[in-house]
Amino acid sequence: MKKVSFALERGTIMVISALTISLIPALPAFAKDKSVSSVMIRVNAVEDDEHDTFQVGAYMADSAVDVTVPNSDRKKYHIAGYSFNNSSREYFSTHQAPTLKIKLEAEEDYKFKVDSERDVKLSGNAKPVYKSFEKNKDGTILEVETVLSDIEGNVGDIEYAGWDVNRSGTLDVLTYGGNSCQIQLYKDGEKYSSAITIPDCGSGNHTIDMRPYIKNAGNYTFSARQYNADTHSRGAWYTVDDEYRVDEGSAAENRSQYGYICRDCYGWKKDGSGWKFLTPGGCPKDTWVEDNHHWFWIDGEGYMVTGWRLIDGKWYYFNDRGEMLENTTTPDGYAVGADGALLQ
């Protein structure tokens, strides 16, 4: 009887234990948010079959750039959208880099814990630069604002150029982006002048009066391109083959009104202070001039220099004729390289 009693008691204990365990309510499973402490964004310019859509003078469309995140981060967050903030301006301009606002959305169970600029890492050939970021209250949305600096200082293409048939001696240039233009004149198929810089012709259609530069009878054509004086960036030439015919009477009238400057008079001119290089647009200053396969430096007063000169952080030597020496030894015994700069 003792053995049976013990067995019953043990069985009773096991039943009670099982009932006790079954009566304990199941604890709820709490999902723990996963933190995203930094984000990586890549902004690349988009190219179509003809040209870059992200360039000076192009229409300011969101599709001009492609915004992505690394494959390794796509399980944490994704690009929910992006748009340019410079909506008041129709075209990309050289003078103001466009700003791009990018919206990131966290994936399920993830939250953005981005706290400062160093937590936002940017890359891509559009050269994005951090500007600001903003999170929503629950950390599921992060908006990053960037400045795309690759546009600044660059040039685009001439949209159209041609002689104005309604105004004698003028031409029309259509271009966007806020740059200057350069006009290269040809007379009877030969170069007639150095490139003539026309400031601020990059905001739609621009009419340019060429009569001050057309002083000789002949048949004139021209090429035009965008030019940025700050960065010296130059676009591709847009060539116009249509001829503008000038008879001797019209040429004489131009000379009378604007002064006589013949083609042969362009180039080096000497006065009491030294040599200047005359072009149809005037005498250049603080710049390089190439002539007869030699390089010359023109100082801030417009005069050719000689001897040693420090230019953009490098030393160059110019002989008595103003020609920059290259790949040789200067008269005072210093070596200069193929670009003319002093070899250290």
Side-chain angles (χ1 to χ4, degrees), residues 22 106 109 119 129 140 196 201 231 291 298 319:
S22 66
D109 297 337
D119 299 329
V129 177
T140 58
I196 303 165
C201 68
T231 62
D291 184 52
I298 308 299
N319 64 20

Side-chain angles (χ1 to χ4, degrees), residues 16-56:
I16 293 173
S17 299
L19 289 172
T20 302
I21 293 173
S22 66
L23 292 175
I24 297 176
L27 296 176
F30 292 100
K32 184 177 180 181
D33 291 333
K34 300 175 183 178
S35 297
V36 179
S37 57
S38 66
V39 295
M40 299 182 67
I41 306 172
R42 185 181 297 110
V43 184
N44 283 328
V46 173
E47 297 182 8
D48 60 19
D49 294 336
E50 297 181 359
H51 58 273
D52 293 344
T53 57
F54 179 64
Q55 66 172 355
V56 171

Side-chain angles (χ1 to χ4, degrees), residues 288 295 314-316 324-327 336-343:
W288 291 96
W295 284 100
K314 296 182 179 180
W315 285 98
Y316 300 85
M324 181 193 75
L325 300 189
E326 51 191 82
N327 263 342
V336 291
D339 62 350
L342 173 68
L343 295 176

Side-chain angles (χ1 to χ4, degrees), residues 207-221:
T207 301
I208 303 171
D209 187 357
M210 299 304 297
R211 291 174 297 173
Y213 309 103
I214 298 175
K215 308 298 181 69
N216 299 90
N219 298 323
Y220 288 84
T221 58

Side-chain angles (χ1 to χ4, degrees), residues 288 295-297 305-319 322-328 330-332 334-344:
W288 291 96
W295 284 100
F296 302 80
W297 177 256
V305 304
T306 59
W308 285 105
R309 288 285 169 156
L310 181 63
I311 304 169
D312 294 333
K314 296 182 179 180
W315 285 98
Y316 300 85
Y317 187 88
F318 301 87
N319 64 20
E323 300 163 347
M324 181 193 75
L325 300 189
E326 51 191 82
N327 263 342
T328 188
T330 63
D332 50 358
Y334 292 93
V336 291
D339 62 350
L342 173 68
L343 295 176
Q344 299 299 323

Side-chain angles (χ1 to χ4, degrees), residues 125-150:
N125 61 18
K127 298 180 181 178
V129 177
Y130 172 86
K131 185 177 181 182
S132 64
F133 76 88
E134 184 177 354
K135 291 184 296 187
N136 65 351
K137 289 184 178 180
D138 62 5
T140 58
I141 299 295
L142 178 71
E143 289 188 330
V144 177
E145 191 168 12
T146 68
V147 178
L148 306 185
S149 58
D150 190 48

Side-chain angles (χ1 to χ4, degrees), residues 268-269 271 273-278 282-287 297-305 309:
W268 295 107
K269 299 296 171 185
D271 61 19
S273 300
W275 288 93
K276 289 189 172 184
F277 193 80
L278 179 63
C283 293
K285 298 178 180 180
D286 270 330
T287 189
W297 177 256
I298 308 299
D299 66 15
E301 300 298 321
Y303 289 100
M304 177 187 78
V305 304
R309 288 285 169 156

Side-chain angles (χ1 to χ4, degrees), residues 86-114:
N86 311 59
S87 57
S88 61
R89 291 163 41 246
E90 277 190 300
Y91 299 90
F92 290 118
S93 171
T94 186
H95 299 308
Q96 180 183 359
T99 56
L100 185 71
K101 181 169 283 188
I102 304 166
K103 182 179 180 181
L104 302 178
E105 185 174 357
E107 299 294 352
E108 187 176 359
D109 297 337
Y110 282 91
K111 301 287 185 181
F112 290 112
K113 301 296 183 182
V114 174

